[in-house]
Amino acid sequence: MGFGVFIHRSDSVYDDSPAEQYQFPSQYLGRVRACLGDWIIYYEPRKVAATRGYFAVAKMAEVIPDPKAPGMYLALIEPGSYLDFINPVPFSGTEGVVERGVLNDEGRISGRAQSAVRAISAADFNRILALGLDEHQPELPRTGEQDAMLFNAGLDEGALAPFAFEQERVRVTQLSSRIIRDRLFRRLVVQAYDKRCAITGLKLINGGGRAEVDAAHIRPVEANGPDTLTNGIALSGTAHWMFDRGLISLSDDLDILVSRHANDPDSIRGLINRTGCAIVPTRAFERPHPHFLRWHRENCFKQ
């Protein structure tokens, strides 16, 4: 087992869904299998417009032949392991390249940097993950929220601490902590939506400086919904309640749908922003994915 870097392009011709599967040709089979049961980092190459660099982490569960494409294989991602970085990490920064393993003996970038699948050292993995999940200034909890988190965490030491690593070993166990993942997912979604509710359009900040908006999963974690930004949406408390209970939903074109079973549909429509469409980020890779919106309409929305 070992850590790896998988190149993923948003305009890829491969049948990739980073939170679920990664399609690749047989030439990379050995390298992919070397990552089985371990964590990989997704990287978008610099030649892609508006590249995200290193943008997510996930755990590889299985490798199988692609039943739909002869000669191709699928790396299956362990459900619930995928996590978008809250800070996309560029290939290089002020101190040079982040992934030191791509340098040759002369300190120059080698052809290895072009490999779609490559092994990565624990030190490089640690460095990229620390940058990608650096929370800077943690958001303040709502009144009473910190007490609730402490209660739910019990005596789990460090439950509220920022994402941390041991010096000699990457603390990948923290990547499975629901408390940590929820906190990181909230920050990711809230910052992408500029602290604004996608349904009402309201951007309310409380006296403590915290946005009064929730980070909602479109497909819930309990239903194997991943912690990816495309499965998230920023909602005010009331809109979140209605969304989870199927009183509102979204079309693939982001039109806001109101259930015919709502007892007061006119009041619900009065809460919706004047465009009638969800207010979402401008960049395509940050918007709700039709795959998750379709799941919500089919499994939650009371049509």
Side-chain angles (χ1 to χ4, degrees), residues 243-260:
F243 189 80
D244 283 352
R245 283 154 183 79
L247 298 179
I248 57 174
S249 191
L250 299 176
S251 71
D252 286 354
D253 295 325
L254 303 176
D255 294 318
I256 300 171
L257 310 175
V258 179
S259 171
R260 292 176 296 174

Side-chain angles (χ1 to χ4, degrees), residues 117-131:
V117 177
R118 56 183 181 263
I120 187 173
S121 69
D124 282 350
F125 183 89
N126 187 344
R127 185 180 305 108
I128 295 169
L129 208 62
L131 292 169

Side-chain angles (χ1 to χ4, degrees), residues 19-289:
E20 299 167 325
Q21 66 182 36
Y22 181 84
Q23 187 187 50
F24 63 94
S26 58
Q27 70 191 79
Y28 292 112
L29 183 57
R31 297 183 190 179
V32 173
R33 280 179 171 163
C35 299
L36 265 175
D38 226 324
W39 294 82
I40 57 115
I41 287 175
Y42 283 112
Y43 172 72
E44 197 166 57
R46 287 180 289 180
K47 56 187 175 182
V48 174
T51 179
R52 291 171 285 173
Y54 304 92
F55 66 90
V57 64
K59 189 174 184 180
M60 241 191 48
E62 191 177 357
V63 177
I64 62 171
D66 190 334
K68 300 178 182 178
M72 300 294 288
Y73 290 81
L74 297 175
L76 303 182
I77 302 304
E78 182 176 298
S81 69
Y82 180 96
L83 183 64
D84 272 323
F85 288 166
I86 56 176
N87 312 300
V89 180
F91 181 77
S92 58
T94 56
E95 298 182 1
V97 297
V98 179
E99 187 186 346
R100 308 286 166 76
V102 300
L103 300 177
N104 59 24
D105 293 339
E106 288 75 39
R108 297 176 180 175
I109 298 173
S110 68
R112 191 167 179 272
Q114 304 301 317
S115 179
V117 177
R118 56 183 181 263
I120 187 173
S121 69
D124 282 350
F125 183 89
N126 187 344
R127 185 180 305 108
I128 295 169
L129 208 62
L131 292 169
L133 300 180
D134 181 9
E135 297 181 68
H136 304 306
Q137 298 177 352
E139 285 193 288
L140 296 173
R142 292 192 182 92
T143 302
E145 188 174 81
Q146 184 165 351
D147 293 338
M149 291 176 69
L150 283 168
F151 176 80
N152 291 331
L155 299 177
D156 182 13
E157 183 179 355
L160 296 178
F163 196 92
F165 299 89
E166 296 172 349
Q167 290 187 356
E168 297 180 359
R169 178 176 171 272
V170 182
R171 294 185 63 182
V172 292
T173 54
Q174 291 198 20
L175 290 173
S176 300
S177 166
R178 192 66 250 166
I179 293 172
I180 291 175
R181 294 177 73 91
D182 283 345
R183 188 178 69 224
L184 294 171
F185 181 74
R186 171 182 163 77
R187 178 175 286 274
L188 175 72
V189 172
V190 170
Q191 69 186 17
Y193 281 76
D194 192 29
K195 304 180 180 181
R196 187 181 304 279
C197 172
I199 300 297
T200 66
L202 293 174
K203 182 178 180 180
L204 301 176
I205 310 297
N206 68 23
R210 181 184 172 95
E212 289 294 336
V213 69
D214 298 330
H217 286 84
I218 299 170
R219 179 170 181 165
V221 172
E222 295 77 12
N224 295 321
D227 295 310
T228 174
L229 183 52
T230 57
N231 186 40
I233 186 170
L235 299 174
S236 62
T238 300
H240 191 176
W241 184 89
M242 293 190 295
F243 189 80
D244 283 352
R245 283 154 183 79
L247 298 179
I248 57 174
S249 191
L250 299 176
S251 71
D252 286 354
D253 295 325
L254 303 176
D255 294 318
I256 300 171
L257 310 175
V258 179
S259 171
R260 292 176 296 174
H261 297 276
N263 68 320
D264 192 357
D266 290 338
S267 293
I268 293 176
R269 293 189 182 93
L271 294 173
I272 295 173
N273 76 81
R274 67 182 63 184
T275 69
C277 295
I279 301 171
V280 300
T282 56
R283 296 185 293 188
F285 64 81
E286 295 180 322
R287 298 174 186 168
H289 195 285

Side-chain angles (χ1 to χ4, degrees), residues 283-302:
R283 296 185 293 188
F285 64 81
E286 295 180 322
R287 298 174 186 168
H289 195 285
H291 171 72
F292 299 120
L293 294 176
R294 188 158 48 250
W295 186 95
H296 186 271
R297 291 194 304 271
E298 294 174 355
N299 294 274
C300 293
F301 186 52
K302 298 180 174 66

